[in-house]
Amino acid sequence: FYEPHSPFRFPRGDQGRYRPSQFPVPALSDSDRREQPDVFRPLAPGDVQGIQAAYYTSLSFLDRQAGRVVAALDELGLGRDTLVVYVGDNGYLLGQHGRFEKHCMYEPAVRVPLLMRWPGRLPADRAIGALVEMVDVLPTVLDLLNLPLPSDLHGKSLVALAQGREGAKGRDVVFSEYLECEEAMVRSERYKLVVGSGLRALKDGWVRRGTPLKAYERLYDLQADPGETTDIADRSALNDVRNELRQRLYERLVSTRLGLEPLPQGLSETAAIQWCLVPRDEGPN
């Protein structure tokens, strides 16, 4: 769906659904200002609020249309024979860290909606807070339809979790990567590690004057700091946490990139991660 993307389209009748003044203007830290994409620097507080109002207005319009489709299924007597899966391919920052975009690893950018509806097969109104990944959607759908799962899938079925079976649980860590920034993340319930090369000449239009010119690791405590405002990677007391998350990221990247190009021999764990983050599907400049 294109509606919740700039310029945030919606019918004229929806104009005024949300007042810009009802939205907060997120505070910016010094690090936010250093790395804020240039395109967002001129925005005044009123601009920030206006963008948020437009975003939520377009999203409300989209939700209303999706609701019409679901209602039509029930009206036609097809609801109990139809699995509906509603997902998003990315999140979106609405002023947090001075950004209106998705090209980063902050929580608002990497969290996505995942809703499933199948009356009689899936419980209604069940909300699940467990960690899962987009790669889990395909095996879940195949499992619900009683179809065989290919042996080489990276995801796992969430049917037991969705149905509330005893002992069912999500993942202990989840991953995301954005090769345009040569950046990836791994997070547990509490901590998130972000790893980047810092060397990428960005082509996505979001110029960041403060982007490091060397490899970096950032660690956030999502329990104590849900807004990801403080990088705690330099705290020696958290060395074990950082090393464990880095190892998990290494294992995921090297195992899922097999077949694209052989991993060079003799690389350290960190160097192998950096190698995996370099896009290899581009032609010459």
Side-chain angles (χ1 to χ4, degrees), residues 5 18 28 38 43-44 49 51 67 83 85 91 93 103 108 146 160 165 203 211 216 218-219 236 250 252 263:
H5 292 72
Y18 296 101
L28 301 185
D38 289 349
L43 294 177
Q49 293 173 304
I51 294 171
L83 168 64
V85 183
L93 286 97
H103 309 84
N146 296 315
R165 299 178 196 170
K203 299 178 182 179
T211 300
Y216 57 89
R218 294 170 180 169
L219 184 68
S236 58
Y250 164 81
R252 168 59 75 91
L263 183 72

Side-chain angles (χ1 to χ4, degrees), residues 44-100:
D47 300 323
V48 172
Q49 293 173 304
I51 294 171
Q52 293 181 74
Y55 173 87
Y56 282 111
T57 303
S58 68
L59 195 61
S60 295
F61 169 61
L62 168 61
D63 285 346
R64 193 162 68 246
Q65 307 316 308
R68 291 177 62 196
V69 174
V70 174
L73 288 172
D74 290 342
E75 292 168 4
L76 295 170
L78 300 173
R80 299 184 70 85
D81 297 319
T82 305
L83 168 64
V84 177
V85 183
Y86 186 102
V87 298
D89 59 335
N90 55 261
Y92 202 77
L93 286 97
L94 290 170
Q96 302 95 328
H97 306 282
R99 305 179 182 204
F100 291 88

Side-chain angles (χ1 to χ4, degrees), residues 1-9 62:
F1 297 110
Y2 193 79
E3 280 75 12
H5 292 72
S6 178
F8 309 117
R9 296 180 172 89
L62 168 61

